[in-house]
């Protein structure tokens, strides 16, 4: 799995007021891997939690694995470094362990004022179209970039020492193949971060990535609602949880670990944060694994519908 710790804490949908405390609880519980993104607008709070624990001596920076993501409006080569430095500044770090292209799609770049504005959150709140530039029919306005060019800018960030590893997120197998076959590729993507849970097990995409020596990181691993049933309440998951004396969340996290998939559940609840990493003291049987895989509903929760008209929309093909 490269150097990425098997379980991390995602800061997606974690409200800024709660995420600092969540990060501190997570470090105390043994988490080393933290997954952020510019688009979540809480990097500053994640950084505050990390800094607090380093100051206390609870953890050293070099023990941690911090990932964040380049947003779609900054795919232009000239903007990638600005965006990376901005994330580093918000996190108050001098390097990232992993920087990901958040989506393969580049959007219309932001107004020059955004580039100059020092507090990106306040600017985005007063200019809501900055992150998601929309046309009159409320579809995203594409940029004129190609993710192969964006990748070159990502590689430059490794060369200058701002990031240790680079990767991608939400790439389908054709997009990943195109990147891996890029002439003059200097660094391979370390991981492809994708939505993955028992209702969307992603067998084909995982086997493709792993066959190309690209690890897979599962976001939204606890799934969501399918026909009114929450994955966590699925009777199959509940039965397996009962048999092992574990929670449903621990079962679906362990399921990914046994597939050699890195997993980043998100929570701001201390008891859940602690529980989600207590998954190394039991093993699912092959029968359990097969039963969980049979829950496949092809349920994609993160479909990003306003981007469906984009030439690089990743979900028009099967995987």
């Amino acid at each position: 799995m490269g150097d990425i710790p098997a379980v991390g804490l995602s800061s997606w949908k974690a409200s800024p007021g709660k995420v600092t405390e969540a990060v501190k609880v997570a470090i105390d519980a043994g988490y080393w891997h933290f997954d952020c993104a510019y688009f979540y607008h809480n990097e500053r709070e994640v950084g505050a939690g990390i800094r607090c624990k380093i100051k206390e001596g609870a953890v050293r920076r070099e023990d941690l694995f911090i990932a964040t993501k380049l947003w779609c409006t900054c795919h232009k080569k000239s903007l990638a470094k600005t965006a990376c430095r901005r994330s580093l500044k918000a996190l108050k770090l001098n390097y990232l362990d992993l920087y990901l292209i958040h989506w393969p799609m580049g959007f219309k770049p932001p107004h020059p004022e955004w580039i100059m504005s020092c507090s990106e959150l306040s600017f985005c709140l007063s200019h809501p179209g900055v992150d998601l530039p929309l046309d009159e029919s409320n579809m995203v306005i594409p940029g004129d970039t190609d993710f192969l060019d964006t990748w070159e800018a990502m590689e430059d960030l490794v060369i200058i020492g701002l990031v240790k590893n680079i990767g991608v997120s939400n790439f389908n197998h054709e997009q990943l193949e195109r990147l891996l076959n890029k002439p003059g590729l200097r660094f391979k993507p370390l991981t492809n971060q994708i939505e993955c849970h028992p209702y969307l097990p992603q067998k084909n995409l995982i086997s493709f990535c792993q066959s190309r020596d690209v690890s897979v990181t599962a976001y939204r691993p606890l799934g969501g609602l399918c026909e009114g049933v929450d994955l966590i309440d699925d009777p199959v998951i509940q039965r397996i949880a009962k048999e092992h004396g574990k929670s449903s969340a621990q079962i679906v996290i362990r399921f990914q670990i046994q597939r050699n998939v890195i997993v980043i559940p998100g929570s701001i609840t201390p008891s859940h944060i602690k529980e989600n990493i207590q998954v190394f003291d039991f093993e699912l049987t092959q029968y359990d694994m097969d039963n969980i895989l049979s829950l496949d509903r092809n349920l994609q929760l993160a479909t990003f519908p306003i981007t469906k008209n984009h030439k690089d929309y990743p979900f028009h093909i099967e995987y």
Side-chain angles (χ1 to χ4, degrees), residues 64-84:
L64 296 173
F65 190 95
I66 316 295
T68 193
K69 307 181 192 78
L70 176 76
W71 186 240
C72 308
T73 49
C74 294
H75 276 211
K76 261 191 175 352
K77 284 175 95 167
S78 57
L79 289 179
K81 193 198 291 183
T82 306
C84 181

Side-chain angles (χ1 to χ4, degrees), residues 151-161 163-168 179-180 182 184-190 214:
W151 189 253
E152 290 182 7
M154 299 286 280
E155 291 176 318
D156 290 342
L157 299 174
V158 180
I159 304 281
I160 62 175
V163 310
K164 291 198 181 295
N165 300 282
I166 47 180
V168 296
L179 176 54
L180 292 171
K182 176 187 181 294
L185 188 74
R186 289 174 287 169
F187 298 102
K188 273 181 70 166
L190 182 64
V214 174

Side-chain angles (χ1 to χ4, degrees), residues 170-177 200 202 204-205 208 298 300 311-319:
N170 299 300
F171 273 50
N172 64 38
H173 86 282
E174 288 178 0
Q175 291 167 331
L176 188 58
E177 177 89 311
L200 185 73
Q202 299 273 26
N204 292 336
L205 188 50
F208 177 82
N298 196 27
Q300 188 116 29
K311 68 178 168 65
D312 294 317
Y313 184 73
F315 306 135
H316 286 318
I317 64 169
E318 194 199 330
Y319 71 95

Side-chain angles (χ1 to χ4, degrees), residues 223-277:
L225 288 170
C226 182
E227 291 163 13
V229 178
D230 198 321
L231 171 64
I232 292 302
D233 300 324
D234 189 290
V236 172
I237 302 290
Q238 295 216 313
R239 176 182 56 75
I240 296 170
K242 200 173 167 194
E243 284 168 6
H244 288 275
K246 292 287 178 184
S247 72
S248 292
Q250 287 171 316
I251 297 302
V252 298
I253 292 167
R254 180 70 205 181
F255 163 71
Q256 301 292 5
I257 290 169
Q258 286 185 214
R259 308 167 84 200
N260 276 328
V261 168
I262 299 144
V263 59
I264 47 169
S267 180
I268 50 170
T269 311
S271 60
H272 292 165
I273 292 169
K274 292 172 190 161
E275 180 183 275
N276 289 347
I277 201 170

Side-chain angles (χ1 to χ4, degrees), residues 98-147:
L98 177 62
Y99 199 38
L100 302 172
I101 297 181
H102 203 150
W103 289 87
M105 307 171 285
F107 301 166
K108 179 188 158 193
H111 191 277
E113 264 181 63
W114 178 90
I115 317 290
M116 302 311 293
S117 74
C118 27
S119 170
E120 80 284 358
L121 183 55
S122 60
F123 186 82
C124 288
L125 293 176
S126 56
H127 300 73
V130 171
D131 289 346
L132 295 169
L134 301 178
D135 63 21
E136 54 289 346
S137 51
N138 275 339
M139 295 301 275
V140 92
I141 303 170
D144 55 3
T145 50
D146 183 312
F147 60 74

